[in-house]
Amino acid sequence: MNFDKFVEERHSVRAYLKKDIEQNLINEINRDIEEYNNIGDLHIQFITNEPNAFGKSILADFGKFKNVNNYIAMIGKKCDNLDEKIGYFGEKLVIKAQSLGLNTCWVGGTYSKKNAKYDIKEDEKLVCVIAIGYGENYGKERKLKSISSVASSDVEMPDWFLNGVRFALLAPTALNQQRYKITLKDNKVEIVSKMGFYTKVDLGIIKYHFELGAGKEHYIFKF
């Protein structure tokens, strides 16, 4: 499937319709979750028809969330690169949801962990959740940085690299920080982020976007 248009069309959505997600779509997303859990040693869970995480939280009101009854709990075994893996595999689910006609929003802290429903083991960590459902709208475009402000190369930037950077610029980041740098040197790509709020999760998201844009023959996420 060509995900180009879904990457470009996808924007964060905080207000949702009171409409159930069809079971066939839930099944399809759960198949992807099972695959990513096995690959990444994760414990991601799709929680449906559960309003308490966002319905009984002052934080949710502060985040201006409305009718969030479905969310994906981004959980994994504690390790040094857990946040980055969560970002990478979570964004794969976000773009997949967009391709299925659903809307999403990455959520770091504006929900109630106490009221949320998920299964977590002692050696695991809940990093964040992803709100998902049918949005009241399609969200708003964000202000993006220029290619030259986030990317550099020791040669004239090839088309595949430019396309990877273009996709990376469309990636959601916490507070729209876009605190990362993408470099091409000796025909090798390096993507790093500055320290900040959820920047390690952002890094995983950015790496997935760059991989989509550049193509796996040029860049593959490694963990």
Side-chain angles (χ1 to χ4, degrees):
M1 181 180 292
N2 188 338
F3 286 109
D4 290 31
K5 74 169 186 174
F6 303 122
V7 170
E8 293 176 349
E9 291 173 354
R10 188 268 165 189
H11 307 293
S12 295
V13 172
R14 294 171 180 263
Y16 294 84
L17 301 173
K18 293 182 178 180
K19 179 181 177 181
D20 292 341
I21 300 174
E22 292 85 345
Q23 189 60 48
N24 64 308
L25 302 187
I26 293 173
N27 293 342
E28 187 163 348
I29 292 171
N30 274 328
R31 282 194 291 270
D32 284 357
I33 288 175
E34 183 178 6
E35 177 185 351
Y36 303 154
N37 282 344
N38 290 331
I39 295 172
D41 198 15
L42 302 172
H43 192 191
I44 301 169
Q45 297 156 53
F46 191 6
I47 312 299
T48 59
N49 297 316
E50 198 292 285
N52 293 331
F54 287 83
K56 297 182 179 180
S57 171
I58 295 175
L59 288 172
D61 291 338
F62 177 77
K64 297 182 180 179
F65 286 99
K66 177 183 175 183
N67 295 330
V68 179
N69 295 317
N70 310 285
Y71 52 91
I72 301 174
M74 301 303 297
I75 299 169
K77 187 173 291 186
K78 296 174 184 176
C79 62
D80 291 341
N81 66 340
L82 173 60
D83 284 14
E84 196 170 324
K85 290 194 295 182
I86 287 295
Y88 179 84
F89 289 108
E91 187 65 8
K92 287 173 76 75
L93 293 170
V94 162
I95 299 303
K96 179 60 172 289
Q98 187 73 25
S99 75
L100 298 174
L102 299 169
N103 303 106
T104 55
C105 184
W106 283 90
V107 188
T110 47
Y111 65 98
S112 172
K113 291 185 179 180
K114 178 181 178 181
N115 293 319
K117 304 296 182 184
Y118 53 82
D119 175 39
I120 188 167
K121 299 176 183 177
E122 188 174 339
D123 62 345
E124 295 178 338
K125 176 185 175 182
L126 171 69
V127 177
C128 56
V129 303
I130 299 170
I132 182 170
Y134 292 98
E136 288 189 352
N137 54 56
Y138 299 111
K140 297 180 180 179
E141 292 187 16
R142 296 169 288 105
K143 184 177 180 180
L144 305 179
K145 291 184 177 181
S146 64
I147 288 177
S148 61
S149 69
V150 301
S152 62
S153 173
D154 60 353
V155 296
E156 183 177 352
M157 294 183 186
D159 289 343
W160 64 264
F161 182 76
L162 286 169
N163 202 47
V165 175
R166 183 175 68 85
F167 269 52
L169 286 168
L170 293 170
T173 57
L175 303 177
N176 200 29
Q177 298 171 100
Q178 297 180 294
R179 295 171 60 86
Y180 57 88
K181 292 292 182 181
I182 305 172
T183 58
L184 178 63
K185 185 176 181 180
D186 298 328
N187 207 35
K188 292 183 179 179
V189 176
E190 183 178 18
I191 305 175
V192 297
S193 65
K194 299 178 182 179
M195 292 300 294
F197 186 68
Y198 280 95
T199 48
K200 289 185 178 180
V201 175
D202 291 346
L203 187 58
I205 295 172
I206 293 156
K207 287 183 175 182
Y208 174 61
H209 274 244
F210 185 88
E211 182 182 278
L212 267 181
K216 287 190 175 182
E217 67 271 26
H218 298 293
Y219 181 84
I220 297 177
F221 175 76
K222 295 180 180 179
F223 57 91

